[in-house]
Amino acid sequence: MLTKRQLVILKEIVRLYTESGQPVGSKKLLEQLPMHVSSATVRNEMVRLEDMGLIEKTHLSSGRIPSTKGYRYYLDHLVEPSSVAASDLAVIETSFDQSYHQIDQIIAQSAKILSSLTSYTAISLGPELRDSRLTGFRLVPLGDQQVMAILVTDNGAVENQIFTLPHELDSDSLEKAIRIINDQLVGLPLTDVIRRLRSDIPQLLAQYLGTPTGFLNIFGNVLKKAAQERFYVDGKMNLINPATIKNVDQLKSLYSLVDQNDDLAKLIGIPDQTIEVRLGDELTNNLLRNFSLITATYDVGDHGKGMIALLGPTSMPYSRMIGLLDVFREELAKKITDYYTHRGDE
Amino acid sequence: MLTKRQLVILKEIVRLYTESGQPVGSKKLLEQLPMHVSSATVRNEMVRLEDMGLIEKTHLSSGRIPSTKGYRYYLDHLVEPSSVAASDLAVIETSFDQSYHQIDQIIAQSAKILSSLTSYTAISLGPELRDSRLTGFRLVPLGDQQVMAILVTDNGAVENQIFTLPHELDSDSLEKAIRIINDQLVGLPLTDVIRRLRSDIPQLLAQYLGTPTGFLNIFGNVLKKAAQERFYVDGKMNLINPATIKNVDQLKSLYSLVDQNDDLAKLIGIPDQTIEVRLGDELTNNLLRNFSLITATYDVGDHGKGMIALLGPTSMPYSRMIGLLDVFREELAKKITDYYTHRGDE
DNA sequence: TTTTAGCACTTGATACATTTGAGTGCTAAC
DNA sequence: GTTAGCACTCAAATGTATCAAGTGCTAAAA
C-alpha cells in the first residue's frame, strides 16, 4: 500500500514526464511538490517506489520515469480527467456543424476531428452494424451489362457495388429475384439475412433463376460490405513520433497494421469499460509496445453502441485525453442521434 | 561539348552513385572504366566535368556525385532504357489478371503494382475524363427522403452520391427533370454538359420545377465528381527514405502534399513527352527538391490518354525505371482497351 | 600536348580520453 | 523519520589523435 506522499510523488512524476519527456530527478520533482521536504527524502521515497516496480531509471544515475506498471497504477487510482478547454469544445462543435447524408460521413469526420485535436491517431467505429436491419436491395442498370447493386440498412448505411451481369441472367428473372429478396428479407437483422442466405433462400430463388449462384454472389458481396465493421482511421502520420519509433522499418510495419482494418479490429477488440486505457504490453501486438490505446464507447440508444479510440505513445497526457474523449463521446452520440431523428422527420 | 571519355565517365559516375549511394572517387571509377588510363587522368577529367557543373563534391576532398545539371545531361543524352526483368513482367501480368467492373479499379491497381515493383511512390491517372460523354443520370430513392444520384459516362466511370431530398421536390417533377437531363444532355461531352448547365438548362427545368436550384445542386455535385481528374496514389510510405528526408516535419508536409489531389495534379501538370523525367528543381514544389518525377503517358485510342508516374529520390536507377514504365504503359493500355471492348461485347 | 607518377593536403569518420552536470545511494547526524 | 553531505555513476558534450579516401598540383614522361 502506498502512503499519501508516495501517491503524490508518483502522480507528479507521471505529470512531469508527460510534459517534458525527460526522466524526472529529485530536484525537479522537489520544486513541484506541495509539501516541504528535502531532496533526500524524495530520493528515499523514489527508491521505495522503484522497489515496488512503479518507476524505473533509464540508467544507473538518471532520473525516474514511470514504468508500465506505474502507468497502470496511475490510470487505475490517480488520474483525474481534466475538463475540456473551451477552444477544443468550439472546434468539435464547428467541425460537426454541417449536414450529413450518410452515417459514415459522421464517423469519418469524428476520426478527423479527434486526430487533429490530439495530434494522435484516431480510430472511429460507427454504431454496431450487426444489429442493423435490411431495408432494401435493388439493382440499377447502368447500360453495357453493368449494374449497380445497392443495399440500404435502417442504420442509414448505404452500400453499393458495380457488377457486370452474368450472361445467364435476364432482366425478368432478375426482377423476380429482387422481389423475393425484398419480400423475404427486408426488416431482418443483417445477421439473420446472412444466415438465411445460406439456408433456404437459394432454393427459393432456384424457382425463378436456373442457377442462382451468380445473383447470390452479387447480393452476398454487397451484404458482406454492409455487414462489415468499418473503421475510420485518421491522423496516421501522427504515428511518426521520435519517442516511439526507432527505425524506418518499424514505421512501415506500423502503417500497414493501421491500414489493415481486420488487424486493427482484432487489436482493439471489445472494450469492457466506457473509457478504457490499454498500455503497450497489454495489447496483443508487439509493434505497439511503446504505444497506448484509449478507447471510449458511446451509446445511441436503439441504434447500438459505437466506439472511438486514440492511439499514441504511452506517455500521453491521460487526464486531458480522457476528459476530451468523455466529452467527445457525448457530442458524437448527440450528433448521430440528431442524424437519425432528423432523417425520420423530413 | 563533351569528349567521348568524359561521356563515359559521367555515365559511370551516375551508375555507381545510383548503385552505391556513395560519392564516386577516382579509384572506384577507374576499376569500372573500360579504357586503360591512370587515376590522375580520371581526376583531371573530373575537374573538367566539375567545371562544367555536371558533377560536384560533397566536401573538399570527397568523391563526386552527379549534380542536377549532370542528371539532366545524363537523362537527355546518355540514359539507355534497360529491358524489363522477366520476373517484373510476370508480376505485372499476374497482378492485372482479374476482372474489373470499373475503370477506376484498373487505375488504382496499376498504381499498386508500380509502387510495389519499384519501391517508389506511384501515381496513376486514368484516361482523360474531360472528353468522356454523359451516358445517363438517375436518382434512386432509398427511403426516408434519401436518394442516390448516379451518373454514368461512356468511359465507364460511375459516380454516385447520396442526398437528402430538398422539401420542395416531389417525385413527379423530379421524374420530369431527370427526363429533361437525359433527353438534352446524354451523349454530350462532360465539358459541354457543364457549360449548358450554366446556360439554358436552368430555364428548361424551371418549367417543371418551381426553383430548380435544389435539383441542379445535386446533379452538379455528382457531375463535378465525375469530371474531376482522379489520381490514385500508392506506396506513399516509400517516401520515407533516409536519402531524401531530413526531418520529421518535412515528411509530414510531404504526406499532406501527396494526399491532396489538387496539389498533386498541379504539380504533375501535363507532360510533353511520352516518357519524361523532371528533377527536383524543375518541379514547382520546394519540398520535392531532392525528388524526381518520371511521368509516362499511355494511349487508349478513342478513350483518350492517361498517365502513370513515379515519384522517388533524384538518384533513381533511371534506366530500369524508364524501361519498366515503357513496358507498363503498354500493358496498362492493353488492359484498359480490353476492358472497354469486353464490356461492349457482353 | 597529353598522360602519368608522386606527393602534400583536406576532410569525414572513428576511436578514445576528458570534462561536466544531473542525478543517485548511503551514512551519519539531527 | 528526516536531512545534509559526500562519494559515485553515467550520458552527453567536448577535445584530440589517427586513418582512409580522395583531391589538386607539379614535374617528368610519352
Side-chain angles (χ1 to χ4, degrees):
Chain A
M1 189 53 199
L2 294 184
T3 68
K4 191 168 173 192
R5 191 166 63 193
Q6 286 167 342
L7 291 178
V8 173
I9 289 179
L10 176 58
K11 194 171 169 184
E12 206 57 24
I13 288 178
V14 170
R15 194 179 69 82
L16 288 173
Y17 179 59
T18 309
E19 262 179 24
S20 70
Q22 297 296 319
V24 183
S26 53
K27 209 170 164 186
K28 276 271 146 50
L29 196 44
L30 200 61
E31 294 167 16
Q32 304 292 327
L33 285 183
M35 53 202 111
H36 180 73
V37 289
S38 78
S39 67
T41 309
V42 173
R43 280 204 293 280
N44 287 334
E45 294 289 30
M46 289 204 287
V47 171
R48 270 166 237 145
L49 286 173
E50 191 174 13
D51 287 345
M52 288 183 262
L54 297 175
I55 57 179
E56 58 196 22
K57 291 185 272 197
T58 59
H59 59 89
L60 191 60
S61 74
S62 77
R64 305 304 212 292
I65 62 174
S67 66
T68 308
K69 197 176 162 192
Y71 271 118
R72 187 74 274 159
Y73 190 94
Y74 169 79
L75 289 167
D76 289 344
H77 300 97
L78 297 172
V79 67
E80 295 167 29
S82 63
S83 61
V84 177
S87 60
D88 285 356
L89 204 57
V91 169
I92 296 176
E93 268 162 12
T94 57
S95 306
F96 266 144
D97 189 24
Q98 46 182 293
S99 67
Y100 295 95
H101 299 288
Q102 275 187 89
I103 180 83
D104 278 14
Q105 295 172 331
I106 304 180
I107 308 304
Q109 175 77 346
S110 67
K112 183 170 244 159
I113 299 172
L114 262 187
S115 77
S116 87
L117 230 43
T118 61
S119 298
Y120 297 125
T121 304
I123 301 155
S124 182
L125 171 64
E128 293 154 20
L129 295 171
R130 292 267 163 100
D131 295 353
S132 63
R133 292 155 189 279
L134 181 68
T135 56
F137 177 69
R138 66 186 66 207
L139 292 179
V140 181
L142 303 174
D144 282 338
Q145 296 289 315
Q146 302 259 97
V147 292
M148 178 186 280
I150 306 175
L151 186 151
V152 189
T153 75
D154 67 342
N155 245 340
V158 178
E159 211 50 71
N160 70 279
Q161 200 162 341
I162 294 167
F163 293 93
T164 308
L165 269 192
H167 283 90
E168 71 268 20
L169 295 179
D170 65 292
S171 57
D172 244 21
S173 6
L174 263 187
E175 278 296 325
K176 284 175 190 146
I178 290 177
R179 196 163 314 139
I180 291 181
I181 293 289
N182 281 285
D183 284 352
Q184 295 286 324
L185 300 178
V186 160
L188 295 181
L190 292 189
T191 43
D192 290 2
V193 173
I194 292 171
R195 192 178 320 127
R196 291 201 46 199
L197 220 54
R198 292 211 201 89
S199 54
D200 60 322
I201 295 291
Q203 289 176 348
L204 266 175
L205 288 176
Q207 294 172 17
Y208 302 92
L209 304 172
T211 46
T213 49
F215 178 83
L216 280 174
N217 274 343
I218 293 179
F219 181 62
N221 259 329
V222 190
L223 183 63
K224 209 171 85 185
K225 266 176 82 177
Q228 218 168 40
E229 298 190 291
R230 270 151 309 166
F231 287 81
Y232 287 85
V233 181
D234 210 303
K236 283 178 204 169
M237 63 183 182
N238 291 329
L239 288 174
I240 307 168
N241 183 325
T244 43
I245 303 289
K246 262 125 212 171
N247 56 61
V248 174
D249 287 339
Q250 194 189 353
L251 183 58
K252 286 199 182 182
S253 17
L254 249 180
Y255 264 99
S256 48
L257 170 70
V258 173
D259 270 334
Q260 292 199 316
N261 285 2
D262 290 349
D263 291 3
L264 206 58
K266 222 177 288 168
L267 175 72
I268 292 182
I270 303 123
D272 298 331
Q273 312 285 321
T274 321
I275 294 195
E276 191 177 313
V277 181
R278 267 168 297 172
L279 300 170
D281 54 359
E282 296 158 14
L283 296 167
T284 45
N285 195 303
N286 225 331
L287 280 171
L288 297 175
R289 181 156 297 173
N290 297 317
F291 285 84
S292 165
L293 181 75
I294 315 182
T295 51
T297 57
Y298 60 89
D299 199 321
V300 275
D302 293 346
H303 296 282
K305 290 180 178 180
M307 190 218 66
I308 44 179
L310 286 174
L311 183 63
T314 314
S315 61
M316 280 195 270
Y318 290 103
S319 48
R320 181 180 160 230
M321 291 303 138
I322 293 177
L324 181 67
L325 276 187
D326 202 31
V327 166
F328 195 85
R329 334 175 4 243
E330 282 167 31
E331 291 292 323
L332 179 56
K334 202 161 69 187
K335 186 72 195 173
I336 293 179
T337 312
D338 260 26
Y339 167 79
Y340 283 132
T341 53
H342 232 69
R343 207 176 41 128
D345 286 356
E346 281 184 315
Chain B
M1 188 53 198
L2 295 183
T3 67
K4 190 167 173 194
R5 191 165 65 192
Q6 286 166 342
L7 292 177
V8 173
I9 289 180
L10 177 58
K11 193 170 169 185
E12 206 57 26
I13 289 179
V14 170
R15 194 178 68 81
L16 288 173
Y17 179 60
T18 312
E19 259 179 26
S20 69
Q22 299 295 320
V24 183
S26 53
K27 208 171 164 187
K28 278 270 144 52
L29 197 44
L30 199 62
E31 293 168 16
Q32 304 292 329
L33 284 183
M35 51 204 113
H36 181 71
V37 287
S38 77
S39 67
T41 308
V42 174
R43 281 203 293 280
N44 288 334
E45 293 288 30
M46 288 204 286
V47 170
R48 271 166 236 145
L49 285 174
E50 192 174 12
D51 288 343
M52 289 184 259
L54 297 175
I55 56 178
E56 58 195 22
K57 291 185 273 198
T58 60
H59 59 87
L60 191 62
S61 74
S62 78
R64 304 305 212 291
I65 62 174
S67 67
T68 308
K69 197 176 161 193
Y71 270 119
R72 186 75 274 159
Y73 190 94
Y74 170 78
L75 290 166
D76 289 343
H77 301 97
L78 296 172
V79 66
E80 295 167 28
S82 64
S83 61
V84 177
S87 59
D88 285 355
L89 205 57
V91 170
I92 296 176
E93 268 162 12
T94 57
S95 306
F96 267 144
D97 189 23
Q98 47 184 293
S99 67
Y100 295 95
H101 300 289
Q102 275 187 90
I103 179 84
D104 278 15
Q105 294 172 331
I106 303 180
I107 309 304
Q109 175 77 347
S110 68
K112 183 170 243 157
I113 300 172
L114 262 186
S115 77
S116 87
L117 229 44
T118 61
S119 299
Y120 297 125
T121 304
I123 301 156
S124 182
L125 171 65
E128 293 156 19
L129 295 171
R130 292 266 164 100
D131 295 353
S132 63
R133 293 156 188 278
L134 181 68
T135 56
F137 177 69
R138 65 186 68 205
L139 293 179
V140 182
L142 303 173
D144 283 336
Q145 296 288 316
Q146 303 260 96
V147 292
M148 178 186 278
I150 306 175
L151 186 151
V152 189
T153 75
D154 68 341
N155 244 341
V158 178
E159 210 51 70
N160 71 278
Q161 200 162 340
I162 293 166
F163 293 93
T164 309
L165 268 192
H167 283 89
E168 72 269 19
L169 295 178
D170 65 292
S171 57
D172 245 23
S173 6
L174 263 187
E175 278 295 326
K176 283 175 192 148
I178 290 178
R179 196 162 314 137
I180 291 180
I181 293 289
N182 281 285
D183 285 353
Q184 295 286 324
L185 301 177
V186 159
L188 296 181
L190 291 191
T191 43
D192 290 0
V193 173
I194 292 172
R195 193 178 319 129
R196 291 201 48 199
L197 219 55
R198 293 210 199 91
S199 54
D200 61 321
I201 296 292
Q203 290 175 348
L204 266 175
L205 288 175
Q207 295 172 15
Y208 301 93
L209 303 172
T211 45
T213 49
F215 178 84
L216 279 174
N217 274 342
I218 293 180
F219 181 63
N221 258 331
V222 189
L223 183 64
K224 209 172 85 187
K225 266 176 83 177
Q228 218 167 41
E229 298 189 291
R230 270 151 310 167
F231 287 82
Y232 287 84
V233 181
D234 210 303
K236 284 178 205 170
M237 63 184 184
N238 291 328
L239 289 174
I240 306 168
N241 183 325
T244 43
I245 302 288
K246 262 124 211 170
N247 57 61
V248 174
D249 288 338
Q250 195 190 352
L251 183 57
K252 285 197 182 182
S253 18
L254 249 179
Y255 264 98
S256 47
L257 171 71
V258 173
D259 269 334
Q260 292 198 317
N261 286 2
D262 291 349
D263 291 4
L264 206 57
K266 222 176 291 169
L267 175 72
I268 292 181
I270 304 122
D272 299 330
Q273 313 284 320
T274 322
I275 293 195
E276 189 178 315
V277 181
R278 266 168 298 171
L279 300 170
D281 53 1
E282 296 159 13
L283 296 166
T284 45
N285 196 303
N286 223 333
L287 280 170
L288 297 175
R289 181 155 297 173
N290 297 316
F291 286 84
S292 165
L293 182 75
I294 315 182
T295 52
T297 57
Y298 60 89
D299 199 322
V300 274
D302 293 343
H303 295 283
K305 291 179 176 181
M307 192 219 64
I308 44 178
L310 286 175
L311 183 62
T314 314
S315 61
M316 281 195 271
Y318 290 102
S319 50
R320 183 180 158 230
M321 291 303 139
I322 293 176
L324 181 66
L325 275 187
D326 203 32
V327 167
F328 196 85
R329 337 176 0 245
E330 281 167 33
E331 290 291 324
L332 179 56
K334 202 162 69 186
K335 186 72 196 174
I336 293 178
T337 312
D338 259 26
Y339 167 78
Y340 283 131
T341 53
H342 231 70
R343 207 176 40 126
D345 286 357
E346 280 184 316

